[in-house]
Structure formats: C-alpha cells, structure tokens
C-alpha cells in the first residue's frame, strides 16, 4: 500500500479521451502469442511519444509525464532505506503504449524489468466493469494465481475497476495481469514505464 496509487487523475480527465481511443483504434498493431510479451490476443498502439505530431497524443504524453512527476514527488520515504525510494530517479524517460482489448484479449502475469515504476491510465472502460461482483475487465495487481494464497503477509493483491481517467501506479516489480472479458466491449488504456536514464542522455 505504501507504493501503490490508484485515483482519478485530474489532468487526464481534461484530455479528449474518446478522441484518443479513436486514434488508437485507427492503427493498432495486433499481438497474438508473442513469447517476448505478456499481451495475448489484443492490440497495441505503439506511437505514443513526446515527438508525436498528433496533438492529442502529444498532450497525452505530457499528462503521463505529469503523472510520473507527481508519483515521485509524493513518494513516501518511510522510516527505512527501501531500495524503491532510494532509487527514485531525478532524470528519466517515459515509455508508453496503448492497449486495446476486446472479448478475448488479456495480459499474462508479468512485471516490467526495464522500468523503475509502471503506470496504467484508462482511456475507455467496458460497461460491464461496473458489475463489481464479476470483475469483468479489471486489473489485478498481486502474486500469480498459482501462488494464492500469497506466500507471506506482505504480498497483497489489489483489484482495480477501470474507469476513464483512472490512473494506477506502482513499482515495476509489482506483478500484474488482466483477464479475457468474454464480451465484445472496449478496454483501452495506456501502459507506461518510468525508465531511468543517465543525466546526460537526451530526453
């Protein structure tokens, strides 16, 4: 709980989220069963960068940068010298991509080993996500299912109900996953990483 954040992010709520979703849907890249990715039977939009010539995507990137800055600025140092807080970057880059899942799309349990922290910003959520008893379209953060119950009191799990403008952030070593919805509905988000970079490396 000390490093996990989940809230509606005001700068994201001011974005044209529906327009961004439509941009993602115009040129998605399909990912089926790639061994080097956790994504399964879903699509990605891989053109999110600060150099984008699409105004909405450039604005989205700026919001991701704000989210990263806010996460670092409000990180609880705690009473100990935890490696996550002591390694908080003063210089970093944002690597981001859009995720588009339909009825069969999902992500296997995974971490982001190249990153320091990981974020998810929801752009569009399935209508069925509001049916909390079924957790349709939700994100799960925690140990893989085959390790449940968790091997120790400190390995908790969280279930996140998606909603447009909702921002989730956590250390990149937190395992997370999604599940097939089994419904023809949209689940569109931006996944992004805070990646450390040397001081003299260009942004």
């Amino acid at each position: 709980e000390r490093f996990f954040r989940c809230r509606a992010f005001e700068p994201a709520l001011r974005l044209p989220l529906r327009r961004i979703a439509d941009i993602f849907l115009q040129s998605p890249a399909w990912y089926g069963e790639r061994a080097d990715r956790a994504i399964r039977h879903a699509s990605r939009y891989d053109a999110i960068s600060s150099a984008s010539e699409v105004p909405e995507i450039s604005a989205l990137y700026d919001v991701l940068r704000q989210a990263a800055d806010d996460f670092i600025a409000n990180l609880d140092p705690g009473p100990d010298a935890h490696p996550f807080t002591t390694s908080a970057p003063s210089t970093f880059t944002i690597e981001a991509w859009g995720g588009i899942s339909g009825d069969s799309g999902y992500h296997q349990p995974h971490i982001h080993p190249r990153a320091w922290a990981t974020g998810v910003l929801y752009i569009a959520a399935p209508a069925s996500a509001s049916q909390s008893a079924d957790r349709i379209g939700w994100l799960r953060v925690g140990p893989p299912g085959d390790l449940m119950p968790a091997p120790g009191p400190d390995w908790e799990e969280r279930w996140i109900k998606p909603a447009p403008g909702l921002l989730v952030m956590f250390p990149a070593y937190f395992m997370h996953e999604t599940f097939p919805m089994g419904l023809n509905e949209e689940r569109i988000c931006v996944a992004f990483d805070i990646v450390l970079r040397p001081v003299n490396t260009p942004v």
Side-chain angles (χ1 to χ4, degrees):
E1 197 61 36
R2 179 174 160 193
F3 303 141
F4 178 84
R5 300 288 183 272
C6 181
R7 63 189 174 105
F9 192 51
E10 187 62 34
L13 294 171
R14 294 195 291 268
L15 290 171
L17 296 177
R18 185 62 251 174
R19 172 59 183 154
I20 291 171
D22 290 340
I23 292 170
F24 286 4
L25 292 167
Q26 287 173 6
S27 56
W30 174 255
Y31 287 75
E33 298 278 355
R34 280 183 54 169
D36 62 337
R37 294 287 186 272
I39 187 172
R40 292 291 181 270
H41 310 296
S43 299
R44 289 186 13 169
Y45 176 87
D46 291 322
I48 300 174
S49 76
S50 59
S52 175
E53 296 182 358
V54 181
E56 294 88 347
I57 301 301
S58 178
L60 170 63
Y61 188 90
D62 289 343
V63 166
L64 300 180
R65 183 81 193 194
Q66 291 179 56
D69 287 338
D70 182 78
F71 181 69
I72 294 171
N74 291 285
L75 194 61
D76 178 12
D80 59 345
H82 193 284
F84 182 66
T85 55
T86 58
S87 64
S90 58
T91 59
F92 60 88
T93 58
I94 296 291
E95 296 180 357
W97 55 96
I100 307 161
S101 297
D103 61 343
S104 59
Y106 69 100
H107 284 74
Q108 295 181 322
H110 66 288
I111 62 171
H112 294 202
R114 291 188 60 254
W116 173 77
T118 293
V120 178
L121 176 64
Y122 284 98
I123 305 299
S128 299
S130 60
Q131 301 173 9
S132 58
D134 296 329
R135 293 173 173 168
I136 294 174
W138 290 33
L139 169 68
R140 180 180 175 273
V141 180
D146 59 356
L147 291 182
M148 292 297 290
D154 295 328
W155 201 351
E156 303 176 10
E157 71 170 350
R158 293 289 184 273
W159 288 87
I160 298 95
K161 178 170 64 175
L166 183 71
L167 172 68
V168 187
M169 296 201 69
F170 46 84
Y173 60 83
F174 277 21
M175 193 161 286
H176 52 288
E177 63 183 318
T178 60
F179 302 89
M181 294 187 293
L183 298 169
N184 188 23
E185 296 184 5
E186 288 181 339
R187 175 173 56 192
I188 301 177
C189 68
V190 176
F192 64 101
D193 284 340
I194 300 175
V195 180
L196 282 69
R197 66 179 175 89
V199 173
N200 295 323
T201 302
V203 176

